[in-house]
Amino acid sequence: MRRLLGRGSFGEVHLVACRGHDMACKHIAAGSDDEHAQAAAMLLKEVKALAELHHANVIRLMGVCIERHHLCALIEYAARGTVRDVLERHPDLPLWRRFQLLYGAVLGCAALHAHRPRPILHHDIKTVNLLVSQDWVCKLADFGLATGLGTLPTATKGGG
């Protein structure tokens, strides 16, 4: 099973089955070397953030594949889609449910800001970056612009 869930600036997100569980697979689309490098940097930054964060209101990282021409991240699947999708599909969504989603987003942000050793700032909170699980839990996603993360390990060329 592989179904397109959405497209972003870096590539596509597909619904995939892995070991009997539905997951979302974010992968980089083909492009120029510069575009690919920029997209890879954003995806790696997101992987770094999700690897450090473990909270009910932050989307979970399930796995990652880092190869030269194949870079993807497996993340928790949010069956109801984005908050934007939910609000468009359910214009009569009860006020208490809307507040429940808002409260989930606030709890996720609080978890980021309380992160140690350094707080994490998301910098891109919007309805398309807030995902909703089957049981109506709102989860922060898309950490490509986040700051406050530790540095990624890098390889260097040459001797020293």
Side-chain angles (χ1 to χ4, degrees):
M1 168 176 61
R2 183 176 173 168
R3 185 182 88 206
L4 181 66
L5 296 173
R7 288 186 172 87
S9 58
F10 66 90
E12 297 178 339
V13 180
H14 288 89
L15 174 63
V16 298
C18 183
R19 297 182 182 173
H21 298 282
D22 287 342
M23 294 184 198
C25 180
K26 294 180 83 167
H27 65 91
I28 294 176
S32 71
D33 287 344
D34 287 343
E35 290 170 340
H36 191 272
Q38 183 178 11
M42 286 185 73
L43 187 61
L44 288 172
K45 188 174 193 178
E46 182 167 10
V47 165
K48 171 71 171 149
L50 294 177
E52 290 183 15
L53 296 168
H54 304 283
H55 190 274
N57 298 100
V58 175
I59 207 77
R60 284 184 301 153
L61 177 68
M62 309 302 280
V64 64
C65 175
I66 302 174
E67 293 179 1
R68 181 165 163 74
H69 294 291
H70 188 77
L71 180 60
C72 66
L74 282 176
I75 59 172
E76 175 182 10
Y77 173 58
R80 295 190 186 274
T82 67
V83 166
R84 181 180 187 175
D85 295 336
V86 168
L87 294 174
E88 286 175 354
R89 280 194 311 268
H90 306 284
D92 57 344
L93 192 69
L95 192 57
W96 68 269
R97 180 70 78 186
R98 292 171 188 252
F99 277 113
Q100 177 187 21
L101 295 175
L102 176 62
Y103 185 63
V106 169
L107 290 176
C109 286
L112 296 183
H113 298 177
H115 184 264
R116 297 293 176 253
R118 292 173 50 189
I120 295 173
L121 302 178
H122 189 280
H123 292 295
D124 201 19
I125 300 292
K126 53 189 176 187
T127 57
V128 295
N129 290 340
L130 298 171
L131 304 180
V132 183
S133 70
Q134 183 63 39
D135 55 350
W136 294 97
V137 176
C138 184
K139 297 172 180 272
L140 299 182
D142 197 346
F143 287 78
L145 298 178
T147 59
L149 303 168
T151 57
L152 288 169
T154 57
T156 58
K157 290 185 178 179

